[in-house]
Amino acid sequence: MMDLLQALDTDSRLDLIPQIWKDIKQLGHTNKADLVEEVLALMARDKQSPEVQASFADCSLAVKSVYEVGDRGRTALEWTASALGNITFLLLRAGRMQEAW
């Protein structure tokens, strides 16, 4: 999955990350902290079009859920400063201040 994320980054197709996140969840890889952190970091790195930013904000809320409640009964991931910062940043960038709070 990390290779796929790197390929999307290389090809400037970060707009596909929300779909990749759905695949990550379906495959049960939400417990891999490095993968989750990479998804957030890629989405937060560069400013995108308003449509992509809105999609990233929705995706960041889905990612946030794996930190709050474990997926499929698994233990939730532990918050890191970068994960919290990236989720907040993505929500603010999309103009969703109330959700970022």
Side-chain angles (χ1 to χ4, degrees):
M1 276 297 172
M2 292 293 273
D3 291 337
L4 176 59
L5 291 173
Q6 290 172 353
L8 291 174
D9 186 22
T10 301
D11 201 30
S12 298
R13 290 304 313 261
L14 297 180
D15 59 303
L16 296 175
I17 289 178
Q19 180 58 46
I20 300 301
W21 175 252
K22 291 177 186 174
D23 295 339
I24 289 169
K25 281 183 69 173
Q26 190 172 34
L27 294 170
H29 293 298
T30 57
N31 61 334
K32 297 180 179 175
D34 59 334
L35 182 61
V36 175
E37 296 269 344
E38 183 68 13
V39 166
L40 289 169
L42 286 172
M43 289 191 299
R45 189 181 65 207
D46 299 319
K47 190 167 185 173
Q48 305 290 330
S49 69
E51 298 83 21
V52 173
Q53 285 302 150
S55 177
F56 282 1
D58 292 338
C59 184
S60 72
L61 290 175
V63 172
K64 181 181 172 193
S65 71
V66 303
Y67 285 96
E68 293 174 341
V69 178
D71 189 36
R72 298 183 194 157
R74 294 183 180 158
T75 304
L77 292 178
E78 271 194 47
W79 282 105
T80 62
S82 62
L84 186 58
N86 285 334
I87 289 171
T88 302
F89 190 68
L90 288 162
L91 291 169
L92 290 174
R93 196 183 267 167
R96 294 161 72 169
M97 187 173 298
Q98 194 63 31
E99 291 171 288
W101 183 251

